[in-house]
Amino acid sequence: MRKILIFVVAGFSTRMGGFPKALAKIGGLPVIVHASNHSKNYYDNIFIICNEKTFPSFYETVEKYSSNATVRTIVTGKGDAESVYRSLKLVENEIGATFDCTFCWGDAYFSTSEIFMRMINYSIWQDPFPSIIVGCAIDTSPYAYFDFYTVGGDMEKILIKKSYFKKRDGSVSLGMHDQCIFRCISSTFLACLDLYRQELGFDGENYPLSPNNEMGLLDSFSFFSKIGRPATICLLPANNVFSFNTADELLQINIKLQNKVSEI
């Protein structure tokens, strides 16, 4: 089965003034170039799935940095899980087969190849067979966090029971937090998302039973637990993935990395 990495970057980056976050520079290189360089030895193919408006910018970046990534477009979905759904469908149709998929967001700076190595080496063939594998670390005051449990005390089998958000459910000082990277078997995850779409009353365009008319990825994990297809956690080393939503948060990451270099 082919191993494929997908960068899902079809959003509008409104908090960055419309500039694609994946093309923002850290240490002089676009975020997506860092990620591509760290990951390229672990995958058969790399896809960048963006929207029509940002396609020229991503295509130019791939050409400039001699990346072997394939750039494709989708219509941005209602919610990040909808964009993932459309991305998986597109790639499955293009290669004509189900595939072992790792996907990640464009607003995450991966500082090491170890993140991708751990995700691709994690055993996906488990009982229960996971809907999705979620790369996680214990973070301080995370914006989202999970209630989880182990199978027989085995720290290699950590399952997500429910997802929480800081703004919606309250804050915690320490929490199990996703690291913006996920892995699945494409056909399995698409089937699980089809069930979640039904749960949210998807009518072909809208999600009337969703509070915000969107299909959110992290919220889907709570649903998967209810139907007996829980998401599984792959523990990753902390402080190796840095996500950002605004120009100021991007600046802070650059300052932090510059200080780290100065200390060496």
Side-chain angles (χ1 to χ4, degrees):
M1 188 180 294
R2 286 164 72 174
K3 294 179 173 64
I4 295 178
L5 174 65
I6 300 177
F7 293 105
V8 183
V9 292
F12 299 111
S13 302
T14 53
R15 284 179 284 184
M16 288 283 287
F19 183 79
K21 287 179 280 188
L23 299 181
K25 290 185 177 181
I26 290 180
L29 287 176
V31 168
I32 201 165
V33 173
H34 284 290
S36 181
N37 290 341
H38 285 314
S39 62
K40 61 186 178 182
N41 292 331
Y42 301 107
Y43 299 95
D44 300 309
N45 305 93
I46 297 176
F47 281 81
I48 298 172
I49 310 295
C50 58
N51 59 53
E52 289 285 351
K53 183 178 180 179
T54 58
F55 176 84
S57 298
F58 280 105
Y59 186 82
E60 180 182 338
T61 298
V62 166
E63 291 293 301
K64 179 178 180 180
Y65 292 96
S66 301
S67 170
N68 63 345
T70 300
V71 186
R72 295 289 184 264
T73 65
I74 60 170
V75 175
T76 304
K78 290 188 174 180
D80 51 6
E82 178 68 22
S83 289
V84 170
Y85 183 90
R86 296 182 182 188
S87 298
L88 293 180
K89 283 281 192 181
L90 184 153
V91 175
E92 270 200 354
N93 290 338
E94 180 157 331
I95 69 172
T98 190
F99 59 98
D100 184 337
C101 174
T102 300
F103 65 89
C104 51
W105 308 133
D107 59 357
Y109 166 66
F110 297 91
S111 65
T112 173
S113 62
E114 183 180 1
I115 301 300
F116 297 95
M117 179 189 71
R118 289 204 183 195
M119 288 296 292
I120 203 64
N121 287 334
Y122 186 84
S123 177
I124 199 168
W125 307 106
Q126 298 185 13
D127 183 20
F129 189 78
S131 51
I132 186 171
I133 296 170
V134 185
C136 289
I138 301 295
D139 283 347
T140 57
S141 190
Y143 81 88
Y145 50 96
F146 305 119
D147 182 11
F148 60 92
Y149 61 99
T150 64
V151 177
D154 186 353
M155 293 303 290
E156 291 296 315
K157 293 184 178 181
I158 309 174
L159 308 180
I160 293 176
K161 185 176 182 180
K162 191 174 181 180
S163 303
Y164 297 91
F165 290 87
K166 183 177 182 178
K167 287 185 177 181
R168 184 184 70 190
D169 306 302
S171 63
V172 292
S173 56
L174 284 174
M176 186 71 78
H177 181 217
D178 77 272
Q179 300 298 290
C180 303
I181 186 167
F182 312 86
R183 183 175 165 218
C184 63
I185 301 301
S186 60
S187 57
T188 298
F189 192 53
L190 284 169
C192 290
L193 285 179
D194 275 327
L195 293 174
Y196 190 44
R197 285 175 131 199
Q198 294 175 26
E199 177 76 3
L200 298 178
F202 185 61
D203 59 11
E205 183 178 355
N206 295 299
Y207 293 95
L209 301 183
S210 167
N212 56 1
N213 194 29
E214 293 184 351
M215 180 166 68
L217 184 67
L218 301 191
D219 273 328
S220 74
F221 303 159
S222 300
F223 172 74
F224 297 153
S225 179
K226 290 180 182 178
I227 64 172
R229 298 301 300 271
T232 299
I233 288 173
C234 172
L235 281 176
L236 301 174
N239 303 315
N240 282 281
V241 181
F242 305 89
S243 62
F244 60 95
N245 282 305
T246 65
D248 183 62
E249 290 173 353
L250 176 66
L251 175 63
Q252 294 306 312
I253 293 173
N254 271 300
I255 291 172
K256 183 182 295 186
L257 294 176
Q258 289 171 4
N259 290 340
K260 185 179 290 188
V261 171
S262 300
E263 293 170 0
I264 298 176

